[in-house]
Protein backbone atom coordinates (compact mmCIF):
# COMPACT_ATOMS: atom_id res chain seq x y z
CA UNK A 1 0.00 0.00 0.00
CA UNK A 2 1.01 3.62 -0.39
CA UNK A 3 1.15 6.54 1.97
CA UNK A 4 -1.85 8.88 1.91
CA UNK A 5 -0.88 11.86 -0.25
CA UNK A 6 -4.11 13.22 -1.77
CA UNK A 7 -5.41 15.83 0.66
CA UNK A 8 -9.06 15.75 1.73
CA UNK A 9 -9.78 19.26 0.46
CA UNK A 10 -8.39 18.35 -2.96
CA UNK A 11 -10.49 15.21 -3.11
CA UNK A 12 -13.64 17.15 -2.18
CA UNK A 13 -12.96 19.66 -4.96
CA UNK A 14 -12.43 16.83 -7.41
CA UNK A 15 -15.65 15.15 -6.22
CA UNK A 16 -17.64 18.31 -6.86
CA UNK A 17 -16.11 18.87 -10.31
CA UNK A 18 -16.60 15.28 -11.43
CA UNK A 19 -20.12 15.07 -10.05
CA UNK A 20 -21.11 18.22 -11.93
CA UNK A 21 -19.57 16.88 -15.14
CA UNK A 22 -21.36 13.53 -14.75
CA UNK A 23 -24.65 15.40 -14.68
CA UNK A 24 -23.70 17.05 -17.99
CA UNK A 25 -22.98 13.65 -19.49
CA UNK A 26 -26.27 12.05 -18.42
CA UNK A 27 -28.41 12.82 -21.50
CA UNK A 28 -25.92 11.04 -23.74
CA UNK A 29 -25.54 8.20 -21.26
CA UNK A 30 -29.30 7.68 -21.18
CA UNK A 31 -29.47 7.49 -24.98
CA UNK A 32 -26.62 4.98 -24.92
CA UNK A 33 -28.38 2.88 -22.29
CA UNK A 34 -31.53 2.73 -24.43
CA UNK A 35 -29.54 1.68 -27.49
CA UNK A 36 -27.67 -1.04 -25.58
CA UNK A 37 -30.90 -2.29 -24.05
CA UNK A 38 -32.53 -2.57 -27.48
CA UNK A 39 -29.66 -4.66 -28.84
CA UNK A 40 -28.36 -6.93 -26.06
CA UNK A 41 -25.76 -9.59 -26.75
CA UNK A 42 -25.14 -12.87 -24.96
CA UNK A 43 -21.93 -13.76 -23.13
CA UNK A 44 -19.03 -14.25 -25.50
CA UNK A 45 -20.75 -12.41 -28.36
CA UNK A 46 -20.52 -8.83 -27.08
CA UNK A 47 -18.29 -7.33 -29.78
CA UNK A 48 -20.94 -4.92 -31.09
CA UNK A 49 -21.76 -3.79 -27.55
CA UNK A 50 -18.07 -3.22 -26.81
CA UNK A 51 -17.57 -1.25 -30.01
CA UNK A 52 -20.65 0.91 -29.42
CA UNK A 53 -19.47 1.76 -25.89
CA UNK A 54 -15.99 2.63 -27.18
CA UNK A 55 -17.57 4.84 -29.85
CA UNK A 56 -19.30 6.78 -27.06
CA UNK A 57 -15.94 7.68 -25.52
CA UNK A 58 -13.39 10.27 -26.70
CA UNK A 59 -11.44 8.82 -29.62
CA UNK A 60 -8.08 9.86 -28.18
CA UNK A 61 -8.39 7.60 -25.13
CA UNK A 62 -5.97 4.68 -25.18
CA UNK A 63 -7.79 1.36 -25.47
CA UNK A 64 -6.80 -2.29 -25.63
CA UNK A 65 -8.83 -5.33 -26.67
CA UNK A 66 -8.86 -8.11 -24.06
CA UNK A 67 -10.67 -11.39 -23.31
CA UNK A 68 -11.88 -11.77 -26.92
CA UNK A 69 -14.83 -9.34 -26.80
CA UNK A 70 -13.76 -7.03 -23.97
CA UNK A 71 -11.67 -3.87 -23.78
CA UNK A 72 -9.70 -1.76 -21.34
CA UNK A 73 -9.32 2.01 -21.75
CA UNK A 74 -7.34 4.63 -19.86
CA UNK A 75 -8.07 8.21 -18.85
CA UNK A 76 -5.14 10.22 -17.52
CA UNK A 77 -1.37 10.13 -17.72
CA UNK A 78 1.18 7.52 -16.70
CA UNK A 79 1.50 5.96 -13.27
CA UNK A 80 -0.58 4.01 -10.81
CA UNK A 81 -4.29 3.85 -11.54
CA UNK A 82 -7.74 2.84 -10.29
CA UNK A 83 -9.86 0.54 -12.47
CA UNK A 84 -13.66 0.67 -12.66
CA UNK A 85 -15.57 -2.22 -14.23
CA UNK A 86 -18.83 -2.54 -16.17
CA UNK A 87 -20.19 -5.71 -17.80
CA UNK A 88 -21.07 -6.11 -21.46
CA UNK A 89 -23.33 -9.17 -21.62
CA UNK A 90 -27.06 -9.69 -21.48
CA UNK A 91 -29.01 -12.79 -20.47
CA UNK A 92 -31.03 -15.47 -22.25
CA UNK A 93 -34.34 -13.95 -21.12
CA UNK A 94 -37.32 -12.88 -23.22
CA UNK A 95 -38.18 -9.32 -22.17
CA UNK A 96 -41.67 -8.41 -20.94
CA UNK A 97 -41.25 -4.75 -19.97
CA UNK A 98 -43.15 -3.10 -22.87
CA UNK A 99 -40.66 -0.24 -22.78
CA UNK A 100 -40.31 1.79 -25.98
CA UNK A 101 -36.65 0.76 -25.98
CA UNK A 102 -37.23 -2.90 -25.06
CA UNK A 103 -35.00 -5.59 -26.52
CA UNK A 104 -35.54 -6.23 -30.21
CA UNK A 105 -33.73 -9.57 -29.97
CA UNK A 106 -36.10 -12.37 -28.93
CA UNK A 107 -34.72 -14.42 -26.09
CA UNK A 108 -32.01 -11.92 -25.11
CA UNK A 109 -32.33 -9.13 -22.55
CA UNK A 110 -30.33 -6.88 -20.25
CA UNK A 111 -32.09 -8.36 -17.22
CA UNK A 112 -29.27 -7.73 -14.75
CA UNK A 113 -28.65 -4.00 -15.20
CA UNK A 114 -25.45 -4.26 -17.22
CA UNK A 115 -26.79 -1.64 -19.64
CA UNK A 116 -27.10 0.75 -16.69
CA UNK A 117 -23.58 -0.05 -15.50
CA UNK A 118 -22.12 0.55 -18.96
CA UNK A 119 -23.89 3.88 -19.40
CA UNK A 120 -22.75 4.96 -15.91
CA UNK A 121 -19.14 4.03 -16.65
CA UNK A 122 -19.23 5.99 -19.90
CA UNK A 123 -20.55 9.05 -18.02
CA UNK A 124 -17.77 8.69 -15.42
CA UNK A 125 -15.02 8.18 -18.01
CA UNK A 126 -16.14 11.16 -20.08
CA UNK A 127 -16.30 13.29 -16.92
CA UNK A 128 -12.82 12.16 -15.83
CA UNK A 129 -11.46 13.02 -19.29
CA UNK A 130 -13.06 16.49 -19.22
CA UNK A 131 -11.83 17.29 -15.71
CA UNK A 132 -8.32 15.89 -16.32
CA UNK A 133 -8.11 13.69 -13.23
CA UNK A 134 -4.80 13.55 -11.34
CA UNK A 135 -5.06 9.78 -10.80
CA UNK A 136 -5.51 7.72 -13.97
CA UNK A 137 -8.83 5.91 -14.31
CA UNK A 138 -8.88 2.60 -16.18
CA UNK A 139 -12.27 1.54 -17.52
CA UNK A 140 -12.86 -2.21 -17.85
CA UNK A 141 -15.48 -3.30 -20.38
CA UNK A 142 -15.82 -6.89 -19.24
CA UNK A 143 -17.37 -9.72 -21.27
CA UNK A 144 -18.81 -12.99 -19.98
CA UNK A 145 -19.91 -12.01 -16.49
CA UNK A 146 -22.99 -14.22 -16.73
CA UNK A 147 -21.29 -17.45 -17.80
CA UNK A 148 -18.09 -19.47 -17.84
CA UNK A 149 -15.30 -19.09 -18.71
CA UNK A 150 -15.27 -15.88 -16.69
CA UNK A 151 -14.36 -12.68 -18.49
CA UNK A 152 -13.06 -11.16 -15.25
CA UNK A 153 -10.72 -14.08 -14.71
CA UNK A 154 -9.39 -13.79 -18.25
CA UNK A 155 -8.75 -10.06 -17.82
CA UNK A 156 -7.13 -10.51 -14.41
CA UNK A 157 -4.80 -13.19 -15.82
CA UNK A 158 -4.03 -11.35 -19.06
CA UNK A 159 -1.56 -8.89 -17.52
CA UNK A 160 -3.30 -5.86 -19.03
CA UNK A 161 -4.15 -4.40 -15.61
CA UNK A 162 -0.54 -4.83 -14.53
CA UNK A 163 0.55 -2.92 -17.63
CA UNK A 164 -1.76 -0.08 -16.56
CA UNK A 165 -0.33 -0.17 -13.00
CA UNK A 166 -3.78 -0.79 -11.54
CA UNK A 167 -3.68 -0.65 -7.75
CA UNK A 168 -7.42 -1.03 -7.00
CA UNK A 169 -10.59 -2.17 -8.75
CA UNK A 170 -14.09 -0.78 -8.26
CA UNK A 171 -17.49 -2.18 -9.20
CA UNK A 172 -21.12 -1.16 -8.67
CA UNK A 173 -24.18 -3.30 -9.32
CA UNK A 174 -27.87 -2.37 -9.23
CA UNK A 175 -29.78 -4.17 -6.46
CA UNK A 176 -33.59 -4.14 -6.09
CA UNK A 177 -33.29 -5.41 -2.50
CA UNK A 178 -32.19 -1.89 -1.53
CA UNK A 179 -34.27 1.31 -1.69
CA UNK A 180 -33.59 4.08 -4.15
CA UNK A 181 -30.91 6.47 -2.97
CA UNK A 182 -29.08 3.82 -0.95
CA UNK A 183 -25.74 2.22 -1.75
CA UNK A 184 -24.41 -0.81 0.13
CA UNK A 185 -20.73 -0.26 0.92
CA UNK A 186 -19.72 -3.08 3.24
CA UNK A 187 -16.22 -4.29 4.21
CA UNK A 188 -15.13 -7.92 4.05
CA UNK A 189 -16.89 -10.78 2.27
CA UNK A 190 -19.99 -9.49 0.46
CA UNK A 191 -20.59 -12.15 -2.22
CA UNK A 192 -20.17 -15.89 -1.92
CA UNK A 193 -17.95 -18.20 -3.88
CA UNK A 194 -19.87 -20.17 -6.51
CA UNK A 195 -19.12 -23.68 -7.69
CA UNK A 196 -21.31 -25.94 -9.81
CA UNK A 197 -21.43 -29.68 -9.30
CA UNK A 198 -22.65 -32.81 -11.05
CA UNK A 199 -23.62 -35.95 -9.13
CA UNK A 200 -23.65 -39.20 -11.10
CA UNK A 201 -25.16 -42.38 -9.67
CA UNK A 202 -24.58 -45.58 -11.67
CA UNK A 203 -26.70 -48.67 -11.10
CA UNK A 204 -27.94 -51.60 -13.12
CA UNK A 205 -31.06 -51.00 -15.14
CA UNK A 206 -33.79 -53.26 -16.38
CA UNK A 207 -37.54 -53.78 -16.45
CA UNK A 208 -39.30 -51.62 -13.87
CA UNK A 209 -41.60 -54.54 -13.00
CA UNK A 210 -38.64 -56.51 -11.61
CA UNK A 211 -36.90 -54.16 -9.15
CA UNK A 212 -35.17 -57.10 -7.46
CA UNK A 213 -33.14 -57.63 -10.65
CA UNK A 214 -31.93 -54.05 -10.84
CA UNK A 215 -29.90 -51.62 -8.81
CA UNK A 216 -31.99 -48.47 -9.10
CA UNK A 217 -29.86 -45.30 -9.58
CA UNK A 218 -32.96 -43.11 -9.38
CA UNK A 219 -33.66 -44.21 -5.81
CA UNK A 220 -29.99 -43.85 -4.97
CA UNK A 221 -29.84 -40.35 -6.43
CA UNK A 222 -32.98 -39.14 -4.67
CA UNK A 223 -31.60 -40.33 -1.36
CA UNK A 224 -28.36 -38.51 -2.07
CA UNK A 225 -30.31 -35.31 -2.78
CA UNK A 226 -32.28 -35.61 0.47
CA UNK A 227 -29.19 -36.42 2.52
CA UNK A 228 -27.24 -33.53 0.98
CA UNK A 229 -29.70 -31.07 2.53
CA UNK A 230 -28.32 -32.01 5.95
CA UNK A 231 -24.75 -31.01 5.16
CA UNK A 232 -25.14 -27.28 5.75
CA UNK A 233 -27.44 -27.71 8.76
CA UNK A 234 -25.58 -30.55 10.49
CA UNK A 235 -21.99 -30.70 9.26
CA UNK A 236 -21.07 -27.03 8.87
CA UNK A 237 -20.29 -24.43 11.52
CA UNK A 238 -23.59 -22.52 11.91
CA UNK A 239 -21.58 -19.27 11.91
CA UNK A 240 -20.16 -20.05 8.45
CA UNK A 241 -22.62 -18.97 5.76
CA UNK A 242 -23.03 -21.61 3.05
CA UNK A 243 -25.65 -22.81 0.56
CA UNK A 244 -26.00 -26.15 -1.22
CA UNK A 245 -28.81 -26.32 -3.78
CA UNK A 246 -29.66 -29.20 -6.11
CA UNK A 247 -31.39 -27.68 -9.12
CA UNK A 248 -31.66 -30.31 -11.88
CA UNK A 249 -32.38 -34.05 -12.00
CA UNK A 250 -32.07 -36.29 -15.03
CA UNK A 251 -32.76 -40.01 -15.31
CA UNK A 252 -34.39 -42.44 -17.70
CA UNK A 253 -36.52 -42.08 -20.81
CA UNK A 254 -39.44 -44.48 -20.30
CA UNK A 255 -41.82 -45.11 -17.38
CA UNK A 256 -41.34 -48.87 -17.45
CA UNK A 257 -37.54 -48.93 -17.64
CA UNK A 258 -35.17 -48.53 -14.71
CA UNK A 259 -32.16 -46.64 -16.13
CA UNK A 260 -28.50 -47.39 -15.59
CA UNK A 261 -27.56 -43.82 -14.70
CA UNK A 262 -29.14 -40.89 -12.86
CA UNK A 263 -27.60 -37.43 -12.53
CA UNK A 264 -28.17 -34.24 -10.60
CA UNK A 265 -26.65 -30.78 -10.86
CA UNK A 266 -26.53 -27.87 -8.49
CA UNK A 267 -24.51 -25.13 -6.85
CA UNK A 268 -22.38 -24.68 -3.73
CA UNK A 269 -21.89 -21.21 -2.29
CA UNK A 270 -19.85 -20.17 0.72
CA UNK A 271 -18.65 -16.96 2.35
CA UNK A 272 -15.21 -18.29 3.24
CA UNK A 273 -12.75 -20.66 1.62
CA UNK A 274 -12.69 -23.10 4.54
CA UNK A 275 -16.45 -23.69 4.34
CA UNK A 276 -16.21 -23.95 0.56
CA UNK A 277 -13.61 -26.72 0.63
CA UNK A 278 -15.36 -28.51 3.49
CA UNK A 279 -18.61 -28.68 1.54
CA UNK A 280 -16.79 -30.11 -1.48
CA UNK A 281 -15.26 -32.86 0.64
CA UNK A 282 -18.42 -33.62 2.64
CA UNK A 283 -20.59 -33.84 -0.47
CA UNK A 284 -18.15 -36.14 -2.26
CA UNK A 285 -18.12 -38.55 0.70
CA UNK A 286 -21.91 -38.44 1.05
CA UNK A 287 -22.49 -39.17 -2.64
CA UNK A 288 -20.22 -42.19 -2.55
CA UNK A 289 -21.60 -43.69 0.66
CA UNK A 290 -25.32 -43.14 0.08
CA UNK A 291 -25.11 -44.50 -3.44
CA UNK A 292 -23.22 -47.52 -2.16
CA UNK A 293 -25.91 -48.15 0.46
CA UNK A 294 -28.37 -48.56 -2.44
CA UNK A 295 -26.16 -50.91 -4.41
CA UNK A 296 -24.91 -48.20 -6.76
CA UNK A 297 -21.73 -46.27 -7.42
CA UNK A 298 -21.77 -42.50 -6.90
CA UNK A 299 -19.32 -39.82 -7.92
CA UNK A 300 -19.13 -36.05 -7.63
CA UNK A 301 -17.58 -33.64 -10.12
CA UNK A 302 -17.12 -30.04 -8.97
CA UNK A 303 -16.72 -27.32 -11.56
CA UNK A 304 -14.96 -24.47 -9.78
CA UNK A 305 -16.24 -20.93 -10.21
CA UNK A 306 -15.75 -17.55 -8.59
CA UNK A 307 -13.98 -17.19 -5.24
CA UNK A 308 -15.43 -15.18 -2.36
CA UNK A 309 -15.68 -11.48 -3.18
CA UNK A 310 -13.91 -9.43 -0.51
CA UNK A 311 -14.18 -5.65 -0.11
CA UNK A 312 -11.06 -3.88 1.13
CA UNK A 313 -11.90 -2.25 4.51
CA UNK A 314 -9.89 0.93 3.91
CA UNK A 315 -11.30 1.57 0.44
CA UNK A 316 -14.78 0.81 1.79
CA UNK A 317 -14.38 3.39 4.54
CA UNK A 318 -13.02 6.05 2.20
CA UNK A 319 -15.75 5.42 -0.38
CA UNK A 320 -18.52 5.60 2.22
CA UNK A 321 -17.28 9.08 3.10
CA UNK A 322 -17.62 10.26 -0.50
CA UNK A 323 -21.00 8.58 -0.93
CA UNK A 324 -22.32 10.51 2.07
CA UNK A 325 -20.77 13.71 0.69
CA UNK A 326 -23.12 13.26 -2.28
CA UNK A 327 -26.13 12.80 0.06
CA UNK A 328 -26.28 9.08 -0.68
CA UNK A 329 -27.51 6.83 2.13
CA UNK A 330 -24.92 4.17 2.95
CA UNK A 331 -26.06 0.66 3.83
CA UNK A 332 -23.45 -1.17 5.93
CA UNK A 333 -25.24 -4.52 6.19
CA UNK A 334 -26.09 -6.09 2.83
CA UNK A 335 -24.19 -9.27 1.98
CA UNK A 336 -25.38 -11.92 -0.41
CA UNK A 337 -24.86 -15.59 -1.23
CA UNK A 338 -25.08 -14.44 -4.82
CA UNK A 339 -21.80 -14.37 -6.71
CA UNK A 340 -20.02 -12.11 -9.17
CA UNK A 341 -16.83 -12.77 -11.10
CA UNK A 342 -15.61 -9.35 -9.97
CA UNK A 343 -14.25 -11.60 -7.19
CA UNK A 344 -11.35 -12.47 -9.51
CA UNK A 345 -10.33 -8.81 -9.42
CA UNK A 346 -10.72 -8.66 -5.64
CA UNK A 347 -8.43 -11.71 -5.36
CA UNK A 348 -5.66 -9.72 -7.10
CA UNK A 349 -6.17 -6.12 -5.99
CA UNK A 350 -7.65 -4.14 -3.10
CA UNK A 351 -11.22 -3.85 -4.35
CA UNK A 352 -14.74 -2.69 -3.64
CA UNK A 353 -18.07 -3.92 -4.98
CA UNK A 354 -21.05 -1.69 -4.13
CA UNK A 355 -24.76 -2.40 -4.53
CA UNK A 356 -26.95 0.47 -5.75
CA UNK A 357 -30.58 0.40 -4.65
CA UNK A 358 -33.31 0.35 -7.31
CA UNK A 359 -36.37 -0.68 -5.27
CA UNK A 360 -39.38 1.38 -6.25
CA UNK A 361 -41.02 -0.30 -9.20
CA UNK A 362 -38.33 -2.48 -10.74
CA UNK A 363 -38.52 -6.24 -10.45
CA UNK A 364 -35.96 -8.73 -9.20
CA UNK A 365 -32.63 -9.32 -10.94
CA UNK A 366 -32.78 -11.66 -13.96
CA UNK A 367 -36.53 -11.10 -14.23
CA UNK A 368 -38.14 -10.56 -17.64
CA UNK A 369 -39.58 -7.30 -16.28
CA UNK A 370 -36.44 -5.92 -14.63
CA UNK A 371 -36.05 -2.34 -15.83
CA UNK A 372 -34.35 0.18 -13.53
CA UNK A 373 -35.23 3.81 -14.16
CA UNK A 374 -32.78 5.89 -16.19
CA UNK A 375 -32.11 7.87 -12.99
CA UNK A 376 -30.14 4.87 -11.75
CA UNK A 377 -27.46 5.62 -14.36
CA UNK A 378 -26.65 8.73 -12.37
CA UNK A 379 -26.73 6.84 -9.08
CA UNK A 380 -24.42 4.09 -10.33
CA UNK A 381 -22.05 6.67 -11.86
CA UNK A 382 -21.89 8.54 -8.55
CA UNK A 383 -21.21 5.31 -6.69
CA UNK A 384 -18.40 4.50 -9.14
CA UNK A 385 -17.07 8.04 -8.65
CA UNK A 386 -17.06 7.62 -4.86
CA UNK A 387 -15.25 4.30 -5.25
CA UNK A 388 -12.64 5.78 -7.58
CA UNK A 389 -11.95 8.64 -5.17
CA UNK A 390 -12.08 6.36 -2.15
CA UNK A 391 -9.41 4.12 -3.65
CA UNK A 392 -7.25 6.98 -4.97
CA UNK A 393 -7.22 8.85 -1.66
CA UNK A 394 -6.88 5.77 0.53
CA UNK A 395 -3.99 4.32 -1.46
CA UNK A 396 -2.41 7.75 -1.94
CA UNK A 397 -1.69 7.40 -5.63
CA UNK A 398 -1.47 10.96 -6.89
CA UNK A 399 1.87 12.56 -7.72
Amino acid sequence: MFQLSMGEARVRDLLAALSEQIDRELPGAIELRHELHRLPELSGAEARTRDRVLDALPAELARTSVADTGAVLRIGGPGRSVAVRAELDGLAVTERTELPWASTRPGVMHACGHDVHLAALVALCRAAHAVDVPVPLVGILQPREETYPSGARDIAESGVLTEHQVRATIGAHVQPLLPDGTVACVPGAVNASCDEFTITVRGSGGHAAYPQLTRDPVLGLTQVVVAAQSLVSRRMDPMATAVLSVTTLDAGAAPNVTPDIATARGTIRAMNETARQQLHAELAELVERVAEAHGCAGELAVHGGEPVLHNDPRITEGTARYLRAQDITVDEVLRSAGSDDFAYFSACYPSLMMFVGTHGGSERLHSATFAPDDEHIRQVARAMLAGYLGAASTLGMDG
Side-chain angles (χ1 to χ4, degrees):
M1 294 299 180
F2 309 99
Q3 296 297 315
L4 180 63
S5 59
M6 183 181 282
E8 183 67 18
R10 186 180 180 192
V11 178
R12 295 279 177 159
D13 289 344
L14 191 56
L15 174 65
L18 285 167
S19 181
E20 182 178 347
Q21 189 63 36
I22 284 172
D23 285 347
R24 293 194 185 102
E25 300 292 345
L26 280 177
I30 290 170
E31 288 184 13
L32 176 64
R33 185 264 175 117
H34 292 180
E35 182 178 343
L36 296 176
H37 194 93
R38 274 192 213 99
L39 297 169
E41 295 180 300
L42 292 174
S43 303
E46 311 98 331
R48 191 210 64 85
T49 300
R50 175 202 60 200
D51 293 345
R52 179 63 188 92
V53 173
L54 291 175
D55 286 345
L57 293 162
E60 63 268 26
L61 294 180
R63 59 206 53 200
T64 305
S65 295
V66 66
D68 298 325
T69 53
V72 169
L73 57 112
R74 184 182 181 94
I75 300 98
R80 297 168 295 196
S81 64
V82 175
V84 183
R85 181 204 74 163
E87 315 95 308
L88 292 162
D89 49 343
L91 282 159
V93 173
T94 298
E95 183 162 351
R96 293 190 289 107
T97 65
E98 299 183 358
L99 290 167
W101 35 271
S103 172
T104 58
R105 293 182 170 168
V108 188
M109 176 190 175
H110 273 296
C112 201
H114 294 180
D115 54 332
V116 176
H117 306 163
L118 288 166
L121 180 59
V122 166
L124 174 61
C125 288
R126 290 182 63 87
H129 179 66
V131 171
D132 191 19
V133 290
V135 175
L137 188 157
V138 172
I140 301 173
L141 306 181
Q142 184 209 307
R144 288 182 275 111
E145 193 278 327
E146 297 288 1
T147 190
Y148 299 121
S150 158
R153 183 174 186 173
D154 285 353
I155 292 172
E157 293 179 351
S158 72
V160 67
L161 301 185
T162 301
E163 293 172 8
H164 281 284
Q165 299 185 55
V166 168
R167 293 297 183 268
T169 54
I170 303 298
H173 201 297
V174 291
Q175 177 51 268
L177 294 176
L178 291 169
D180 281 330
T182 296
V183 173
C185 185
V186 182
V190 294
N191 268 163
S193 62
C194 179
D195 303 305
E196 295 179 357
F197 62 80
T198 301
I199 297 168
T200 303
V201 176
R202 302 178 189 278
S204 177
H207 200 301
Y210 306 101
Q212 76 277 17
L213 302 180
T214 68
R215 292 292 180 265
D216 187 355
V218 177
L219 177 61
L221 179 65
T222 56
Q223 295 305 306
V224 167
V225 171
V226 171
Q229 302 311 304
S230 69
L231 290 181
V232 171
S233 64
R234 287 295 175 264
R235 301 300 292 272
M236 304 295 297
D237 182 342
M239 303 306 292
T241 303
V243 176
L244 189 158
S245 294
V246 178
T247 55
T248 74
L249 300 172
D250 184 31
N256 60 347
V257 178
T258 298
D260 291 319
I261 298 174
T263 61
R265 297 177 60 218
T267 182
I268 290 172
R269 292 155 187 262
M271 294 299 274
N272 67 69
E273 189 62 26
T274 299
R276 181 188 191 185
Q277 295 304 322
Q278 183 183 350
L279 266 178
H280 292 182
E282 296 275 6
L283 182 58
E285 182 180 10
L286 182 148
V287 168
E288 181 179 350
R289 292 188 175 184
V290 173
E292 184 180 8
H294 290 81
C296 299
E299 60 181 322
L300 173 72
V302 176
H303 319 286
E306 298 90 344
V308 179
L309 198 166
H310 288 276
N311 281 345
D312 181 85
R314 287 182 292 174
I315 295 178
T316 302
E317 181 181 359
T319 297
R321 185 163 62 249
Y322 301 126
L323 288 169
R324 293 188 178 100
Q326 299 177 85
D327 296 322
I328 296 171
T329 301
V330 176
D331 175 274
E332 298 177 338
V333 177
L334 182 69
R335 303 176 193 273
S336 168
S339 63
D340 192 301
D341 69 354
F342 185 84
Y344 287 115
F345 297 130
S346 77
C348 300
Y349 304 96
S351 298
L352 172 63
M353 170 58 76
M354 294 166 282
F355 303 104
V356 180
T358 65
H359 183 68
S362 59
E363 299 291 336
R364 64 193 181 278
L365 294 171
H366 293 202
S367 163
T369 55
F370 183 68
D373 293 339
D374 287 336
E375 168 59 21
H376 293 109
I377 298 171
R378 179 176 183 267
Q379 295 179 26
V380 172
R382 291 202 166 197
M384 290 174 169
L385 169 59
Y388 161 74
L389 292 175
S393 61
T394 300
L395 304 184
M397 291 187 292
D398 71 327

